């Protein structure tokens, strides 16, 4: 963000202090259609907005005089150590925000040694992403298509490339109604493609399109039996993204998945569902440590991360803030966003009396009387 000194004509770069600074920069510098696409929630955006407000209803109960002179933010996800419990959620079309797109995101997460969940709807291919950040720790987010071969082919591709888990998104049998995308008639610009399907749909380009691929490609008949199908074609751990109830959490455990991401798709699917953080406790209580539970939606500060971990999340994932970082300065911007969250999380831990992630528990939390 450049602030100009009118008298001297010099421009000084304003420090990006918190994630909101990146949001404001992105809103100012992205085209309206691109900003609206990233910012969109479904219908009246109640769930999108509640994802943020819900954290403000949660209070911390800090413990004092605990010798926090040394702190350790490291944790593990699926048995792999990461530097702190914040990863990048699967978000589409990073090249809309920055010309290098997902390649820049991959390099940033590799540099900070955390987890990047690559979206099926990437504007760089999975091969390009791996080539750019060969030592990065990555999971792959998957949709199930009417043509199962499409899903099967990409599963085999990412497994061969060294992706460490599959994240099956289960809350999109149909795409939510995002009003501004309809008003803007949102489409990928001609120079960008859903690169993982480059050439696959060429014969169908004349038909109606939805977010870069032919309409009606996603399979609304997806059911729990498809989890077994997925297990039959891959050895990768399967993590289900989009669970918001204890009933579905129990079914996930029964179907042998290795993790759950508590998520309402950033409020982009069903409007009127719970904020992710409000759904977390019942899912953690149901799972009882049998599989790992993660969360996305509404994380904007290090204390948000602390609250999610206190309520039982093993790790959280950020979506929109990663895109804001890209819009600001590409790889460097994503690194800054992650570093700010890391620093804020470390500070919140210390001020709450926690020296490491293992000391974070539900005793740290109280709910506001508001």
């Amino acid at each position: 963000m450049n602030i100009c000194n009118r008298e001297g004509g010099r421009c000084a770069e304003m420090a990006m202090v918190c994630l909101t600074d990146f949001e404001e920069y992105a809103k100012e510098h992205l085209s309206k259609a691109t900003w609206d696409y990233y910012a969109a929630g479904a219908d009246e955006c109640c769930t999108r907005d509640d994802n943020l407000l819900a954290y403000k209803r949660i209070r911390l109960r800090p413990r004092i005089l605990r010798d926090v002179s040394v702190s350790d933010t490291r944790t593990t996800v699926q048995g792999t150590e990461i530097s702190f419990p914040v990863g990048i959620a699967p978000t589409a079309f990073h090249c809309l925000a920055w010309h290098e797109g997902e390649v820049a995101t991959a390099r940033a997460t590799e540099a900070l040694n955390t987890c990047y969940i690559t979206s099926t709807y990437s504007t760089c291919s999975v091969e390009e992403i791996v080539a750019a950040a060969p030592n990065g720790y990555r999971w792959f987010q998957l949709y199930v298509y009417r043509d199962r071969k499409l899903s099967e082919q990409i599963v085999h591709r990412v497994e061969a490339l060294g992706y460490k888990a599959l994240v099956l998104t289960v809350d999109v049998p149909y795409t939510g109604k995002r009003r501004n995308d309809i008003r803007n008639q949102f489409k990928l610009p001609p120079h960008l493609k859903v690169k993982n399907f480059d050439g696959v749909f060429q014969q169908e380009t004349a038909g109606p399109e939805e977010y870069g691929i032919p309409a009606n490609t996603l399979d609304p008949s997806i059911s729990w039996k498809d989890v077994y199908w997925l297990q039959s074609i891959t050895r990768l751990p399967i993590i289900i993204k989009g669970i918001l109830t204890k009933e579905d959490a129990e079914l996930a455990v029964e179907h042998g998945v290795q993790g759950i991401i508590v998520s309402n798709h950033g409020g982009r699917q069903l409007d009127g569902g719970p904020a992710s953080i409000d759904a977390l406790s019942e899912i953690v209580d149901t799972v009882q440590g049998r599989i790992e539970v993660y969360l996305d939606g509404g994380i904007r500060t290090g204390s948000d991360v602390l609250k999610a971990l206190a309520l039982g999340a093993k790790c959280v994932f950020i979506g929109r803030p990663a895109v804001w970082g890209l819009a600001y300065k590409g790889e460097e911007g994503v690194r800054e966003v992650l570093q700010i969250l890391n620093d804020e999380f470390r500070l919140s831990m210390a001020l709450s009396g926690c020296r490491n992630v293992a000391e974070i528990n539900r005793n740290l939390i109280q709910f506001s009387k508001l």
Side-chain angles (χ1 to χ4, degrees):
M1 214 179 275
N2 289 325
I3 305 296
C4 286
N5 175 337
R6 288 176 185 272
E7 292 170 18
R10 288 176 292 106
C11 281
E13 197 166 86
M14 191 176 104
M16 304 298 266
V17 175
C18 61
L19 269 56
T20 310
D21 292 340
F22 292 87
E23 180 179 18
E24 288 171 0
Y25 181 95
K27 186 169 186 178
E28 200 176 308
H29 288 81
L30 294 172
S31 73
K32 182 181 186 301
T34 296
W35 169 259
D36 285 350
Y37 166 72
Y38 289 134
D43 300 316
E44 296 182 307
C45 300
C46 298
T47 297
R48 180 198 67 181
D49 296 345
D50 202 37
N51 268 353
L52 300 174
L53 294 170
Y55 285 95
K56 302 187 192 318
R57 297 191 286 265
I58 301 169
R59 296 286 179 267
L60 293 165
R61 301 178 64 248
R63 300 297 306 278
I64 53 150
L65 299 175
R66 302 264 290 183
D67 183 4
V68 289
S69 54
V70 178
S71 63
D72 184 357
T73 61
R74 289 174 300 170
T75 190
T76 61
V77 286
Q78 297 298 315
T80 295
E81 185 177 281
I82 54 175
S83 62
F84 73 122
V86 178
I88 303 286
T91 45
F93 309 153
H94 286 193
C95 285
L96 283 176
W98 184 258
H99 64 281
E100 287 186 307
E102 290 83 4
V103 157
T105 310
R107 287 194 190 116
T109 45
E110 180 186 61
L112 271 87
N113 186 29
T114 191
C115 180
Y116 169 32
I117 308 177
T118 303
S119 171
T120 289
Y121 284 74
S122 294
T123 37
C124 300
S125 70
V126 285
E127 289 80 7
E128 289 167 332
I129 290 164
V130 170
N135 300 311
Y137 179 61
R138 278 175 294 269
W139 299 348
F140 182 78
Q141 175 270 329
L142 180 76
Y143 287 108
V144 172
Y145 296 99
R146 291 175 191 268
D147 179 355
R148 289 292 190 276
K149 282 201 177 66
L150 274 183
S151 301
E152 196 167 333
Q153 284 163 359
I154 199 152
V155 166
H156 292 149
R157 274 168 72 188
V158 299
E159 190 164 9
L161 285 164
Y163 280 77
K164 298 302 182 192
L166 289 177
V167 175
L168 177 65
T169 296
V170 293
D171 55 4
V172 192
Y174 301 97
T175 306
K177 183 179 179 182
R178 302 159 198 170
R179 294 175 183 177
N180 280 343
D181 285 352
I182 298 166
R183 291 186 183 112
N184 296 331
Q185 297 184 303
F186 175 82
K187 274 191 172 172
L188 271 183
H191 69 284
L192 295 181
K193 291 187 179 75
V194 179
K195 280 295 273 293
N196 292 319
F197 296 127
D198 202 5
V200 171
F201 297 116
Q202 280 173 338
Q203 70 283 7
E204 299 165 39
T205 46
E209 214 180 78
E210 190 172 57
Y211 297 112
I213 65 171
N216 302 314
T217 306
L218 290 171
D219 190 350
S221 78
I222 182 173
S223 70
W224 286 104
K225 71 179 189 305
D226 291 297
V227 174
Y228 291 139
W229 165 75
L230 208 48
Q231 288 163 338
S232 77
I233 64 166
T234 182
R235 289 190 211 147
L236 291 176
I238 293 165
I239 292 153
I240 292 191
K241 175 181 179 291
I243 284 181
L244 292 167
T245 63
K246 61 187 179 184
E247 294 87 350
D248 283 336
E250 184 57 50
L251 283 166
V253 174
E254 287 172 12
H255 282 77
V257 305
Q258 278 75 29
I260 288 169
I261 301 179
V262 179
S263 172
N264 54 34
H265 216 101
R268 294 163 76 81
Q269 282 300 106
L270 175 68
D271 199 29
S276 299
I277 192 73
D278 286 342
L280 179 61
S281 291
E282 74 170 67
I283 290 167
V284 168
D285 290 346
T286 298
V287 166
Q288 292 283 316
R290 290 173 289 173
I291 58 175
E292 292 184 350
V293 177
Y294 317 108
L295 172 137
D296 69 24
I299 297 285
R300 297 293 182 268
T301 66
S303 66
D304 292 343
V305 180
L306 184 64
K307 289 169 183 179
L309 265 66
L311 289 168
K314 182 77 166 152
C315 179
V316 302
F317 294 90
I318 56 168
R320 292 181 181 97
V323 172
W324 305 336
L326 278 176
Y328 174 58
K329 264 189 191 173
E331 176 190 343
E332 190 183 329
V334 179
R335 284 169 75 156
E336 281 190 48
V337 164
L338 287 168
Q339 191 61 58
I340 286 169
L341 277 178
N342 193 350
D343 294 344
E344 288 180 352
F345 173 59
R346 188 183 294 274
L347 181 59
S348 297
M349 270 175 60
L351 295 178
S352 300
C354 298
R355 291 160 289 210
N356 56 54
V357 168
E359 291 185 347
I360 301 169
N361 61 51
R362 210 171 285 193
N363 292 331
L364 204 57
I365 291 295
Q366 67 182 32
F367 286 89
S368 164
K369 303 288 191 294
L370 292 178

